[in-house]
Amino acid sequence: MRLAAAFSFFLLASALKAQPGFFVQSRYPIDINGKRVEQPLTGGWNSPQFQSMDINQDGRPDMIVFDRTDAHLETWIRNSKGELIWDMRYASAFPSGHYFYKLADVNSDGKADVFTLSESGDLYIYLNRTGSADTVPRFEIRLNTYGEAGPQFYRNQYDSTFFILHNLLSFSNTDMPEVLDIDGDGDLDIVKYDPWNLTYTEFRDVRAEKGWSSDTFEFQVMDVCFGYFNEGFDNSIVLGECPYEKKYSPRHVGGSSCFFYDREGDGDMDMVISNVGFKRFTYLKNGWKDFQTEYDSMIAVDTLFPFASGEDFHQFAFPAGYLADADGDGQRDLLIAPNSAAEGKESHQVSYYRGTKNGQQQNWALQTHDFMGDARLDLGARSSPCALDVDSDGDMDLLVASNGDFEQTLGLADRLFLFENLGAPDYALKLKDDDYLGLSDSGWMQMVPASGDLDNDGDVDLLMGVGNGQVHWLSNKAGSGQPCAFVYGGLPLGAYAPAFNQTNAAPCLHDYNADGKTDVLVGYYDGRISAFAQGEAQSFVRESQHAWGVIANEWRTDTEPPSYMSFGYAVPRVADLDLDGSVELIVGTAQGRLQRYAIQGHSLQDTLLPDWNWIFQKELNGDSSVAEFGIRAIGEPMDLDGDSIPEVFIGSLRGGLNLVKSTQGRQVNALRPAIPSLDVQLWPNPNHGSFELNRVSAQQENTIRVYDATGRMVWTGHMAKGEKRCLVQLSGKEAGCYWLVVETEKADQRKTLPLIIQP
């Protein structure tokens, strides 16, 4: 395949004009089992991790929740009543991370620093630079051994003549290491699992041993068999046996989870571990102080943690424990959640053990196996909202497809949750059916529903996309104005077998060719959208497999060469969000943002430039940041409250819901006609940064702009009146995919062209 063909699907065109903003909402009335959910719009948890921190410096312990599933970070602020309130205004202040997110004070300044990983598993440290007058935390990346703002290294145990003295401090993306001061010397240590030798490795900061200042620290590998025990594949523990005998001292130059706590208050750290596939923890007692051993040595094993009769943990497989202040009383509590990177226990999955002390003895007392479960809406995983007036009472109800909870369903019993709109005065949503239409017995997996009148008979049907790429039709036989009555209608697109990368079908019903018959758009795993035009008798013809040039895949700049991810999970929806008479295409994506395209007046063959920056999250300083909702975000526009201004419900992989509302009212007489195209050619393409533009008409001046694949303008120029040919030299531009926009001075004509620069 030629380079031009290989890269052509990267290229986007025709930018959206300024649009009214949509802002994330923290409240909407939703009732479940006769009780109003306090905070239903928080997006759900799958494998949450909990860390306490006074985020807003009001003297109360707040909570950071980081979900391993999609690296989504939430901030929960404790109010004067001691309640944790979801408040995402603080979230953008924290650095992003992957797999685990730990808070620990690495430089002994009394502030919690961030330990997290890159996507490749390398450790990054962000130092807390929050000042006393700051109400929002401030962080800066900690420079590594080589003075770079990059991943951290540890000092190996070879002498200074060895050609490699430092190695990357890297972790498995399935493990949960511990970061704390294990030896009580005032600096931090790191313990992580070694899956090859079934042991734990300790990396110790040698700042205290060296007498260095608090801002100078270095991790060195000190113990490749920490605790002097060996772990079997069957979760067994053998004390006093290790494949390694050697312990290390500091150099003078330069799938498991674990956590530690001092149960007896004797000054040494006991260890709690768990493993993939097992529904329990194993407690190991440290005998360092008891027997004055030279090194940390585990001397006893107990599998009944946390020890209280009838309260020992065995709720789900591969748990991880987090010591955080859950109730705001100043004591560390124990929160237990799944540590799965893939499917596991996905709802009502956080156990809360309240921490108390009896003298020096640390105790845990079970409070609930559903921490904050009543306060949040969490339907499991892969929530996909769909608007439909099920009872035909004039207001829009809400359907949400979900897998329920993988631990219970194994992903084989997806279902529809029906939330009835109760209407005026507050248009609350009430959970009416947790398996609407009984689809949990259908065998359909990874369902994405869409509503619309497929058979053009005046009532609203349902299409259901499923994981194998098929689209099923649920035909409404009720008639116009009657409560929905669905029967199975078959596979309306059955003549077109999905290609290997056209799994995870996500349909949308929209008459894109304006012929009066409902057509079908289908997004797929590969990030593209196929367009099917309706012919006679509900027959469909596929007119495009890459409609409007849409690509939902994430653009990766950390690869060589930069490229798009292979998957995008495109989910199309069509609505007139700003009520200006022109519909827009809204596309849910794997990367967690909703893309917006102005498709009015454009053919399927046009390639359009997406607008990512139309949904915002308010910040404390009055500014706004672009909101992200986590992996596989799916947006559903609907008018919830009857004011004719659409809201957008958003589902995600984590199984909850978010909601955004427009900041503007109805706009009238603001139709946007399609912009006529200029007759301009670019040659050669691909090129090495030097190319020629030719145009048929030279009666007016044209502006020339070049954009990179992220939408950032990297070059601008012009063609003067009377100039039919123009040589463009883009010196110094990296090889890759760009697009070139040629536009008249009044912006009433435009041409967008793909541009590929070769190495």
Side-chain angles (χ1 to χ4, degrees), residues 634-663:
I634 298 175
E636 175 72 357
M638 61 183 293
D639 180 13
L640 273 172
D641 50 14
D643 63 357
S644 77
I645 302 173
E647 292 79 29
V648 182
F649 266 111
I650 300 166
S652 71
L653 183 64
R654 297 190 318 281
L657 292 174
N658 294 106
L659 177 67
V660 300
K661 298 190 71 171
S662 175
T663 58

Side-chain angles (χ1 to χ4, degrees), residues 364-577:
W364 313 112
L366 177 66
Q367 306 299 301
T368 178
H369 285 305
D370 192 13
F371 176 63
M372 297 186 69
D374 291 339
R376 300 166 44 255
L377 176 65
D378 192 341
L379 303 177
R382 290 194 296 269
S383 53
S384 179
C386 174
L388 175 65
D389 187 2
V390 173
D391 48 15
S392 292
D393 63 353
D395 48 39
M396 298 303 294
D397 307 305
L398 180 67
L399 299 177
V400 184
S402 169
N403 73 346
D405 188 322
F406 187 86
E407 188 177 75
Q408 300 171 8
T409 69
L410 300 179
L412 303 175
D414 284 24
R415 74 276 317 279
L416 284 176
F417 292 82
L418 168 60
F419 292 86
E420 179 187 6
N421 193 328
L422 301 181
D426 59 0
Y427 296 89
L429 294 173
K430 175 185 177 182
L431 180 61
K432 189 174 183 179
D433 194 335
D434 62 4
D435 191 9
Y436 180 59
L437 303 179
L439 295 184
S440 62
D441 292 330
S442 68
W444 295 346
M445 295 178 285
Q446 303 197 44
M447 299 192 308
V448 178
S451 61
D453 187 3
L454 183 70
D455 51 9
N456 309 290
D457 64 353
D459 55 24
V460 180
D461 307 304
L462 273 177
L463 289 184
M464 190 69 69
V466 295
N468 65 3
Q470 291 181 332
V471 176
H472 298 271
W473 177 24
L474 298 172
S475 176
N476 187 358
K477 299 301 183 181
S480 179
Q482 300 300 312
C484 293
F486 292 107
V487 298
Y488 184 65
L491 300 171
L493 311 178
Y496 297 94
F500 77 95
N501 57 351
Q502 289 183 324
T503 58
N504 299 96
C508 172
L509 293 96
H510 171 58
D511 182 11
Y512 63 79
N513 55 17
D515 64 355
K517 291 179 287 190
T518 304
D519 308 312
V520 178
L521 306 173
V522 185
Y524 292 106
Y525 168 89
D526 67 357
R528 276 64 163 178
I529 294 174
S530 290
F532 298 84
Q534 184 169 174
E536 299 300 325
Q538 285 85 59
S539 64
F540 290 87
V541 176
R542 184 168 60 198
E543 294 191 325
S544 175
Q545 295 191 69
H546 196 187
W548 299 292
V550 169
I551 183 166
N553 311 48
E554 180 182 2
W555 176 254
R556 297 289 300 276
T557 59
D558 57 348
T559 61
E560 186 56 43
S563 62
Y564 281 102
M565 295 287 286
S566 62
F567 58 88
Y569 290 104
V571 182
R573 294 290 185 262
V574 175
D576 182 5
L577 290 177

